[in-house]
Amino acid sequence: MKAAMIGLGKMGANMARRLIQGGHEIVGYNRNTKVIEDMAAEDGLIAAFSTKEVIESLPQPRVIWIMVPAGEPTESVINDLAPLLENGDVVIDGGNSNYKDTLRRGEKLQGRGISFVDVGTSGGIWGLKEGYSMMVGGSPEAVQTITPLLETLAPAPDLGWGHVGPFGAGHFTKMVHNGIEYGMMQAYAEGFEILKAKSEFGLNLHQIAEIWRYGSVVRSWLLDLISSALAENPQLEGIKGWVADSGEGRWTVFEAIDLDIPAPVITAALQSRFVSRRADNFSAKLLSALRNQFGGHAIKKD
């Protein structure tokens, strides 16, 4: 199958490579032309240097997969593509867009006779080797058109991906997936900090991670990655405890509030990330001052 990949960052580039290795012809476009040139030389990518070239390089119905950051970058690419596309073409957003934006974009493209598919994609830098987990939203006809691509990108043709509903459903499902991820990561982080704090036992955190990886009810791929990180850097030296959030966790919390669904674990995990980014924590200072006021507890000075 011949398709295009717009946005060749780490994940987009690896997805393009996996598709090429699977026998597909992939036209690639990226603002950084060196990336395109390198992949054309090393991976067999068909280079395109404009959205117009992308369109001209594809047979109808065209299939164009977008892998750029959520928000304005995705909006800009879709706006550039829309006037060049024709009835029956398929646009895929494989990034982490807010599902409400996906609903709006899908309706806009649908009005032009263009199919829009949202593919919530998980797998990170390991996807090239292991395959990607994909939550797919769109019409049955559009999903059928791109099924050969999905089967190649997935861990196996019948594993790790599925058509979950109309456009918007894929990104909604991925949003909740990432909210769950926040909670799992936070639980692991807190547990290992408790282990580390029990200094009189001299616990080897990497050893414990390895024990838990096999047979334990808490085994998971995240635990595999924890073990790998601790093997490389047991004390996590040189790593600042500053944790970003890319949006999906807070969107999950907002949605939980809108739906009157209690989500205390995901909410607390999100708040912990906010706390990690505050070098000058006024609320903690105030708590310390209050403890001194009512109980005479000591205050640590900067």
Side-chain angles (χ1 to χ4, degrees):
M1 182 175 183
K2 191 172 186 178
M5 181 72 70
I6 294 181
L8 297 169
K10 287 183 180 178
M11 194 159 177
N14 279 343
M15 292 175 76
R17 289 186 181 102
R18 187 171 173 93
L19 289 170
I20 293 166
Q21 291 169 8
H24 300 281
E25 293 183 90
I26 302 300
V27 178
Y29 170 62
N30 196 70
R31 286 194 302 178
N32 183 344
T33 57
K34 187 177 187 304
V35 173
I36 305 169
E37 291 164 351
D38 288 348
M39 288 190 66
E42 298 169 12
D43 303 293
L45 185 79
I46 302 168
F49 297 93
S50 68
T51 51
K52 186 172 183 293
E53 273 192 54
V54 170
I55 300 299
E56 292 173 347
S57 299
L58 296 174
Q60 291 181 277
R62 304 175 184 89
V63 174
I64 301 171
W65 195 307
I66 301 169
M67 285 298 292
V68 300
E72 183 53 37
T74 299
E75 191 82 15
S76 177
V77 170
I78 291 174
N79 287 340
D80 287 346
L81 284 171
L84 304 173
L85 297 172
E86 298 178 271
N87 188 63
D89 290 345
V90 180
V91 174
I92 306 162
D93 179 6
N96 283 325
S97 292
N98 188 305
Y99 83 95
K100 295 178 181 178
D101 289 335
T102 300
L103 290 171
R104 173 177 53 78
R105 292 165 184 155
E107 289 168 3
K108 180 179 178 181
L109 291 174
Q110 193 174 57
R112 294 171 172 262
I114 301 162
S115 295
F116 190 52
V117 179
D118 52 307
V119 180
T121 309
S122 180
I125 60 174
W126 294 87
L128 175 60
K129 178 183 177 184
E130 304 289 340
Y132 297 89
S133 172
M134 294 169 292
M135 299 134 266
V136 184
S139 71
E141 297 78 15
V143 175
Q144 183 62 40
T145 297
I146 69 167
T147 291
L149 301 177
L150 299 171
E151 290 179 339
T152 300
L153 288 169
D158 58 345
L159 294 175
W161 77 275
H163 182 197
V164 298
F167 59 73
H171 282 151
F172 182 84
T173 305
K174 178 57 162 51
M175 175 191 77
V176 177
H177 165 283
N178 281 31
I180 293 169
E181 180 184 290
Y182 277 39
M184 291 174 67
M185 292 173 67
Q186 185 66 30
Y188 277 128
E190 291 174 7
F192 275 90
E193 184 165 21
I194 294 168
L195 293 170
K196 185 176 186 298
K198 198 66 171 174
S199 56
E200 62 265 38
F201 285 162
L203 298 172
N204 182 322
L205 301 189
H206 174 248
Q207 178 197 29
I208 292 168
E210 281 294 295
I211 293 169
W212 289 354
R213 286 180 64 206
Y214 302 97
S216 166
V217 295
V218 301
R219 65 187 183 274
S220 72
W221 185 54
L222 288 174
L223 185 58
D224 295 344
L225 298 178
I226 288 171
S227 179
S228 177
L230 291 172
E232 294 172 8
N233 188 352
Q235 300 302 318
L236 303 182
E237 294 173 356
I239 298 175
K240 188 175 181 180
W242 192 102
V243 187
D245 75 287
S246 55
E248 297 90 341
R250 64 177 70 195
W251 298 341
T252 305
V253 172
F254 295 157
E255 200 67 30
I257 293 168
D258 288 344
L259 295 171
D260 295 329
I261 300 294
V265 172
I266 296 172
T267 303
L270 175 66
Q271 296 291 336
S272 292
R273 294 192 180 201
F274 295 161
V275 171
S276 78
R277 304 198 293 261
R278 300 187 64 197
D280 189 25
N281 191 334
F282 182 81
S283 63
K285 290 181 179 182
L286 184 58
L287 285 172
S288 181
L290 278 172
R291 292 181 76 249
N292 176 258
Q293 289 288 321
F294 69 69
H297 301 289
I299 296 175
K300 289 189 176 181
K301 302 290 187 179
D302 286 338

